[in-house]
Amino acid sequence: MSDKIHEFGFDTLQIHAGSRPDPATGARQTPIYQTTAYVFRDAEHAAALFNLQEVGYIYSRLTNPTVAVLQERIATLEGGSGAVCCSSGHAAQIMALFPLMSPGRNVVVSTRLYGGSVTQFSQTIKRFGWSAKFVDIDDTDAVKAAIDDDTRAIFCESIANPGGHIADIDTLAKIADDAGLPLIVDNTSATPYLCRPIEHGATLVVHSMTKFLTGNGTVTGGCVVDSGTFDWSASDKFPSLSEPEPAYHGLKFHETFGPLAFTFHGIAIGLRDLGMTLNPQAAHYTLMGIETLSLRMQKHVENAETVASWLENHDAVEAVTYAGLKSSPSYDRVAKICPKGAGGLFTVALKGGYEACVKLVDNLELFSHVANLGDTRSLVIHSASTTHRQLTPEQQTAAGAAPNVVRISIGIEDADDIIADLDQALKKASS
Ligand SMILES: *Cc1c(COP(=O)(O)O)cnc(C)c1O
């Protein structure tokens, strides 16, 4: 079905894209190819595979048939040319930047990011000689001003974790384009069901598959999707993709693989040498999750809208950041960026401040107090004392995780039950 795949709708593609009955057994569900290596037909076949002259399976650090189905499925759902899966969302961010960066280069990133990403970008990437410049991405002048000769990408989240801020991806893509740079969008909170960043001009999309894509809190995984549209050879800024690669006898990835250059580089260099590989068992769980992605996201959105409206009118609540509420500064962007809804993640600021937040978290019963989101279960966390703990108070506030705020990931339980739990816990938190 691969050559007519574009005719199918999202609900069909989330089940079928990339998968076909197993050629060896006819198994309808994608088998978990629990194997490390693959037998070569002969020495010539092995040599062709190692030279990247023929595409096939060598060793599961690079490629695995179960993982390959997942890669094709996500690439299709995002409207990209290819995708590389890896072991976590954070691995995906390194895998996305790795071909673009080198010592002395920088990436312009949004201040509104998942706390772990703020730490990864502000601290850890320095060890590679890379740096990040944090800017308010709604301030287009600031974004433009932050770009210099050493900038190699712009990075933002479509719907930001935890505050629910929605990025104006079209405007950022235009700025990136004018500067000859790729725009990387972390689409974890939105998923391709709610937002397709490539349609808004993004070059690369990264995911923590740990969250909504898998959807039930079972495995960690990440993914980098390439739009296939960026001209890596237009400038001398991206030599890893445009210049001869010594490790492959001078092969030029962009010239040789065209729209698949980034994907092939991610496998042949990124996974080969960084080794942040996704295992086939994890790929299986994520494939199972994606089969019901649209149904789950509809229910996450429906519940989030109901619960956020209820919370907004509660006496103990100071503010709710859900972009699906008219009071949100991002509300106007929902129709343009994520027309099927603003997701299932938001923050709630309590009038009782830090103390009330901690009491709320401790008294919730249906909600689980965990450092995760995008589960079928409703989840809660006090970001300032956990996921965003490493950040300065200024960074916490800029990221939407001030001390008086709890992050809520609305599950797909009955909305009445979610509200009842919040109601009893808020009473205790404000007494
Ligand atoms: C969780 C998360 C990440 C990191 O993903 P892991 O799978 O935990 O490594 C990155 N970005 C966002 C928006 C996230 O929510």
Side-chain angles (χ1 to χ4, degrees):
M1 64 187 243
S2 57
D3 43 328
K4 46 180 290 202
I5 220 154
H6 61 280
E7 292 171 13
F8 292 112
F10 192 97
D11 291 356
T12 306
L13 292 171
Q14 71 185 359
I15 296 167
H16 291 282
S19 85
R20 37 197 80 75
D22 179 49
T25 61
R28 178 56 275 199
Q29 190 48 275
T30 301
I32 303 167
Y33 287 91
Q34 198 65 62
T35 184
T36 307
Y38 308 83
V39 178
F40 305 120
R41 287 195 301 272
D42 49 34
E44 200 185 332
H45 177 221
L49 290 175
F50 273 92
N51 275 344
L52 299 184
Q53 285 157 340
E54 192 179 327
V55 177
Y57 297 103
I58 298 175
Y59 186 66
S60 284
R61 173 158 27 85
L62 306 167
T63 45
N64 170 280
T66 313
V67 176
V69 171
L70 178 59
Q71 288 172 163
E72 194 177 331
R73 186 157 309 166
I74 297 178
T76 305
L77 295 177
E78 286 286 3
S81 62
V84 180
C85 286
C86 44
S87 52
S88 70
H90 268 189
Q93 292 173 188
I94 296 298
M95 289 281 292
L97 290 175
F98 182 65
L100 313 177
M101 304 284 277
S102 56
R105 308 303 184 203
N106 68 70
V107 52
V108 171
V109 305
S110 171
T111 48
R112 297 183 192 86
L113 295 181
Y114 168 66
S117 302
V118 175
T119 310
Q120 188 186 49
F121 291 149
S122 62
Q123 308 295 332
T124 305
I125 64 170
K126 283 191 205 156
R127 308 285 182 93
F128 304 142
W130 310 348
S131 62
K133 296 183 174 186
F134 286 83
V135 290
D136 174 354
I137 50 165
D138 282 347
D139 183 346
T140 49
D141 290 336
V143 177
K144 287 180 198 163
I147 296 170
D148 63 26
D149 288 345
D150 286 321
T151 303
R152 290 296 177 269
I154 300 176
F155 186 102
C156 70
E157 293 180 10
S158 49
I159 303 179
N161 172 2
H165 171 274
I166 297 178
D168 182 350
I169 303 173
D170 303 76
T171 299
L172 291 169
K174 172 83 173 58
I175 296 173
D177 222 36
D178 289 346
L181 299 173
L183 172 67
I184 308 173
V185 177
D186 181 340
N187 201 29
T188 298
S189 306
T191 81
Y193 180 68
L194 298 180
C195 174
R196 293 171 33 110
I198 290 171
E199 288 174 1
H200 297 278
T203 305
L204 302 170
V205 177
V206 296
H207 275 284
S208 168
M209 307 191 300
T210 315
K211 315 291 171 56
F212 292 100
L213 287 181
T214 304
N216 45 29
T218 45
V219 292
T220 66
C223 187
V224 186
V225 184
D226 180 22
S227 60
T229 55
F230 195 87
D231 184 357
W232 304 109
S233 309
S235 73
D236 58 6
K237 287 187 171 164
F238 305 103
S240 297
L241 295 157
S242 61
E243 297 290 309
E245 168 59 47
Y248 285 106
H249 309 298
L251 171 137
K252 295 180 182 173
F253 276 89
H254 191 214
E255 187 182 286
T256 309
F257 300 112
L260 283 169
F262 198 93
T263 300
F264 271 85
H265 191 279
I267 293 167
I269 309 281
L271 290 181
R272 186 196 64 183
D273 296 343
L274 301 178
M276 301 164 167
T277 306
L278 185 73
N279 67 77
Q281 186 81 37
H284 165 76
Y285 282 112
T286 306
L287 280 165
M288 293 299 95
I290 291 176
E291 289 193 352
T292 57
L293 180 64
S294 64
L295 306 175
R296 287 186 289 106
M297 292 316 289
Q298 284 162 23
K299 179 79 169 164
H300 280 296
V301 167
E302 189 187 307
N303 279 355
E305 285 172 352
T306 307
V307 176
S309 308
W310 178 84
L311 278 169
E312 196 176 33
N313 294 314
H314 195 285
D315 283 347
V317 171
E318 190 177 294
V320 179
T321 60
Y322 190 54
L325 294 174
K326 287 210 176 65
S327 57
S328 163
S330 285
Y331 183 74
D332 290 344
R333 289 186 182 161
V334 175
K336 184 173 154 198
I337 305 291
C338 46
K340 294 196 195 103
L345 186 70
F346 56 85
T347 60
V348 184
L350 296 185
K351 287 179 186 155
Y354 188 102
E355 283 292 302
C357 288
V358 172
K359 273 197 203 160
L360 173 73
V361 168
D362 280 344
N363 283 291
L364 283 165
E365 288 166 8
L366 181 65
F367 277 78
S368 305
H369 178 199
V370 297
N372 190 21
L373 59 97
D375 196 321
T376 49
R377 292 153 197 81
S378 290
L379 312 174
V380 66
I381 197 159
H382 182 229
S383 301
S385 61
T386 56
T387 53
H388 290 64
R389 191 182 188 89
Q390 323 299 336
L391 276 54
T392 63
E394 296 73 35
Q395 284 177 319
Q396 287 176 346
T397 303
N404 64 333
V405 154
V406 290
R407 180 183 80 189
I408 288 185
S409 175
I410 294 293
I412 58 175
E413 304 102 331
D414 287 296
D416 286 352
D417 294 334
I418 299 172
I419 288 175
D421 193 31
L422 285 165
D423 197 29
Q424 63 81 18
L426 277 171
K427 279 198 185 98
K428 290 173 189 151
S430 49
S431 68

